[in-house]
Amino acid sequence: MARPIWTGTLSFGLLNVPVSLMSGERKVDLHFRMLDSRDRKPIRFERVNADTGEEVPWKDIVKAFEYDKGSYVVLEEDDIRSAAPESHETVEVETFVDASQIDPRYYEKPYLLVPGKKAEKGYVLLRETLRSTGKVGIARVVVRTREYLCAVMPNDDALVLMILRYPQELVEPDDYTLPSGKLADYRITSKETAMAEQLIESMAGDWDPSQYHDEFRERLQQVLNKRIKSKGGTTKVEDEPAPREDASTNVVDFMALLQKSLDANKRTPAKKAAARKAPARKTAAKKAPAKKAPAKKAAKKTAARRKAG
């Protein structure tokens, strides 16, 4: 059984649903090793100095950014850590939008959110409410060391977390010369349009992904199987360790939390609420917001908390 990427909570308003983040895709590519044709031994790729040709040990390798041809700026591990987001195991929904508003090009990678023990009620509540309203939750999540923008949406009995691309990662169609204008501008007649519509209608059907297969991979796998059998080859499969069980959760008053969340949204505009950081929202849910401390004192307190953690 697959292991969770992390175990945390799915948060919207004041409601927190314990969940496990599971991969929603399966890698099926065939991976090949490079061999020496003379003796069929694996080829080892070494880390060598481009000038001296000598192998460089891992301890002497640093990361650098080439800002100009042949000019580099070296980044230390502390520099990278300072830019990384604080690791937290929360998918915190910041806003809800119509699913139809999201351009399909933004969808990048799927994950499945699996509810923890005794967390089914909150899970089903969010799933079915999203389904009935046609909304998806826009949230942020930290996977390993990077923060991602994501969308939480219902799919059958599951809540799917879809990693989204940022706008700067997409190429605008305006960057290319594309045909625009009316059909008449391209001498397309009404008869041609009617025939095209008739052709599309004759080929129409229901979407059934099970009918589609990677035929090249299947044929290549058959070739590999024949080669393995002819040479008496065997395959070895190692069992994965058992997944960690989720901690049990307490029963909560959903009506009270929903009402508090609604009241909070009436007092605070949605855009301002989305702009606040996650820790600030959690603190506000427990007690009245405290006065802001001077910048220096706040920085010292943050550093003390990090050391204590």
Side-chain angles (χ1 to χ4, degrees):
M1 183 177 178
R3 290 172 291 178
I5 295 171
W6 60 251
T7 300
T9 58
L10 169 61
S11 173
F12 58 106
L14 299 179
L15 293 179
N16 294 285
V17 182
V19 292
S20 294
L21 188 66
M22 310 293 292
S23 177
E25 63 177 355
R26 181 177 291 109
K27 299 292 186 182
V28 295
D29 292 339
L30 296 172
H31 299 281
F32 298 95
R33 287 291 305 274
M34 300 296 181
L35 304 180
D36 189 328
S37 63
R38 297 167 295 182
D39 57 8
R40 295 294 193 271
K41 297 299 181 181
I43 294 175
R44 184 176 64 190
F45 293 92
E46 299 180 342
R47 304 170 301 279
V48 297
N49 187 300
D51 289 336
T52 65
E54 296 179 355
E55 185 174 359
V56 182
W58 277 113
K59 65 181 181 64
D60 293 329
I61 295 179
V62 296
K63 294 180 180 178
F65 175 74
E66 187 175 13
Y67 61 90
D68 202 359
K69 186 66 175 180
S71 298
Y72 303 89
V73 57
V74 175
L75 282 178
E76 303 294 341
E77 289 300 325
D78 289 341
D79 296 325
I80 299 174
R81 279 194 291 268
S82 67
E86 291 186 9
S87 179
H88 56 273
E89 297 176 341
T90 304
V91 179
E92 186 153 4
V93 177
E94 298 179 351
T95 186
F96 293 94
V97 303
D98 291 335
S100 59
Q101 291 183 334
I102 303 178
D103 188 323
R105 295 181 303 152
Y106 281 94
Y107 295 128
E108 182 174 8
K109 187 175 183 179
Y111 289 92
L112 294 175
L113 292 169
V114 179
K117 289 184 177 180
K118 300 181 181 179
E120 291 85 358
K121 181 176 179 178
Y123 188 91
V124 173
L125 174 63
L126 178 59
R127 183 190 68 196
E128 296 308 314
T129 306
L130 290 176
R131 197 190 310 278
S132 63
T133 58
K135 302 284 187 182
V136 299
I138 303 299
R140 296 180 188 273
V141 60
V142 176
V143 180
R144 297 183 177 91
T145 59
R146 183 182 169 187
E147 184 179 62
Y148 295 90
L149 185 67
C150 62
V152 178
M153 59 186 65
N155 181 259
D156 294 334
D157 291 336
L159 278 174
V160 174
L161 185 148
M162 184 73 71
I163 297 294
L164 299 177
R165 296 181 176 92
Y166 287 101
Q168 59 268 31
E169 296 180 274
L170 296 177
V171 176
E172 291 297 329
D174 294 342
D175 291 350
Y176 300 96
T177 303
L178 301 173
S180 60
K182 301 178 181 179
L183 295 176
D185 296 338
Y186 301 93
R187 299 179 183 179
I188 298 176
T189 66
S190 58
K191 288 185 178 180
E192 289 172 326
T193 302
M195 290 186 66
E197 292 176 352
Q198 185 178 358
L199 173 61
I200 291 175
E201 188 61 33
S202 68
M203 298 175 64
D206 294 324
W207 166 240
D208 183 4
S210 65
Q211 298 299 313
Y212 300 91
H213 305 278
D214 186 346
E215 296 181 0
F216 169 74
R217 180 188 176 279
E218 291 177 351
R219 289 194 294 268
L220 194 57
Q221 186 68 62
Q222 292 175 0
V223 173
L224 290 172
N225 291 340
K226 289 181 180 179
R227 292 284 178 87
I228 292 172
K229 289 181 180 179
S230 64
K231 294 181 180 293
T234 59
T235 58
K236 180 180 179 182
V237 179
E238 296 181 358
D239 294 331
E240 294 185 355
R244 182 182 63 183
E245 292 188 358
D246 298 330
S248 60
T249 58
N250 296 325
V251 177
V252 295
D253 187 343
F254 283 90
M255 287 299 294
L257 290 177
L258 287 170
Q259 187 59 53
K260 287 182 180 179
S261 298
L262 288 173
D263 293 341
N265 283 335
K266 288 179 181 178
R267 293 192 299 269
T268 306
K271 290 185 179 179
K272 290 184 179 180
R276 292 182 301 177
K277 293 183 179 180
R281 271 196 293 269
K282 292 180 180 177
T283 303
K286 295 181 181 178
K287 60 183 179 180
K291 294 182 179 179
K292 291 185 178 179
K296 291 184 178 179
K297 292 183 178 180
K300 289 181 179 179
K301 290 182 178 179
T302 303
R305 282 198 297 272
R306 288 178 178 170
K307 288 181 178 180

